Amino acid sequence: MKLSRRHIPSGSPRRSAFRATISVMAIGLAVGLSACGTPETVVPSGSNPVESPEATVTQVAPEETADTGSALAMANLADAEGNPAGEVTFTQAGGSLQVSVSVEEMAPGFYGFHVHEIGECKADSASPDDPSDIGAFKSSGGHIPGESDAKHPDHAGDLPPLLVGEGGTATMTVTTDRLDESLLMDSDGSAVVIHSLPDNFANIPERYAPDGPDEDTTGAGDAGLRLACGVVEG
């Protein structure tokens, strides 16, 4: 009988040789894999192994990064009877001055709010420019003028009106480039005054005043009496 190439009788010399060849190849492959093992990182001679960097988190307090400026001065407000009414702080902020005010126990509404030219808050006193003009906190003089010919609302000491809410309190922060340390802390000082009425900023239409606003209006915006005062102190 003629055999095909693919059929090799069991026990024949050729089949035994084939099995021996397969066994030798398997053993060689196993030995090779065992010798390789797990790959290792090769570190060049003379260098240190590279370690995984540890994550570090640095917390910076807000006050270390925020440009909060530097405190310059403050004023403690009090009414004519000496009762505390609030406080005002002045902070240097770049080339401007930041003014922050906080008041309490006042009737709701708008109030004139200004910085006056003399650092005195006498409850019953005369105006420096008119000894016959006597009243609460008149000793603080007029608004810091800045330019000598300035009129209200162009005085350096003119600030936005203060709005008191139903709870009797108010807070406001405003930044101005009209005021600076030289005006606020000059030889006779300065004072913060809260007035009894809203400030009209001398905005009087001609139909009400054909001749324009009068001297009282251009002097203080018809803001009325002086309710509270505080000497500016550094």
Side-chain angles (χ1 to χ4, degrees):
M1 181 178 64
K2 187 177 179 180
L3 297 175
S4 68
R5 288 186 178 181
R6 295 183 179 180
H7 179 71
I8 302 174
S10 179
S12 68
R14 290 183 60 189
R15 190 175 184 95
S16 298
F18 177 76
R19 288 181 175 176
T21 301
I22 295 299
S23 298
V24 170
M25 291 176 64
I27 294 172
L29 180 60
V31 171
L33 291 175
S34 176
C36 291
T38 302
E40 296 182 357
T41 302
V42 178
V43 179
S45 177
S47 63
N48 295 322
V50 179
E51 297 180 357
S52 299
E54 295 182 359
T56 57
V57 178
T58 303
Q59 294 184 348
V60 180
E63 60 269 16
E64 294 179 2
T65 57
D67 182 13
T68 55
S70 55
L72 181 64
M74 71 173 299
N76 290 312
L77 300 169
D79 62 19
E81 285 72 40
N83 301 311
E87 66 177 27
V88 181
T89 59
F90 298 88
T91 303
Q92 194 68 47
S96 300
L97 198 65
Q98 181 175 284
V99 185
S100 298
V101 56
S102 175
V103 300
E104 57 186 10
E105 297 185 6
M106 294 182 65
F110 282 103
Y111 295 84
F113 180 61
H114 313 116
V115 183
H116 287 235
E117 59 185 341
I118 299 175
E120 280 190 18
C121 289
K122 294 181 180 179
D124 189 18
S125 55
S127 169
D129 299 328
D130 183 2
S132 64
D133 183 13
I134 299 175
F137 310 124
K138 291 287 186 176
S139 59
S140 64
H143 305 172
I144 293 180
E147 297 181 6
S148 58
D149 59 347
K151 294 183 179 180
H152 194 77
D154 295 324
H155 299 131
D158 293 340
L159 295 170
L162 186 63
L163 175 59
V164 177
E166 290 296 329
T169 63
T171 59
M172 180 176 70
T173 297
V174 60
T175 300
T176 175
D177 57 4
R178 294 181 176 184
L179 278 174
D180 57 27
E181 184 176 1
S182 65
L183 293 174
L184 200 66
M185 309 290 287
D186 61 4
S187 59
D188 58 0
S190 61
V192 179
V193 174
I194 296 178
H195 292 258
S196 60
L197 298 174
D199 187 340
N200 61 28
F201 296 105
N203 182 26
I204 308 298
E206 289 185 3
R207 68 178 183 273
Y208 299 134
D211 297 328
D214 60 18
E215 187 175 345
D216 288 341
T217 302
T218 58
D222 295 319
L225 302 176
R226 305 179 183 191
L227 288 185
C229 183
V231 175
V232 177
E233 299 176 322

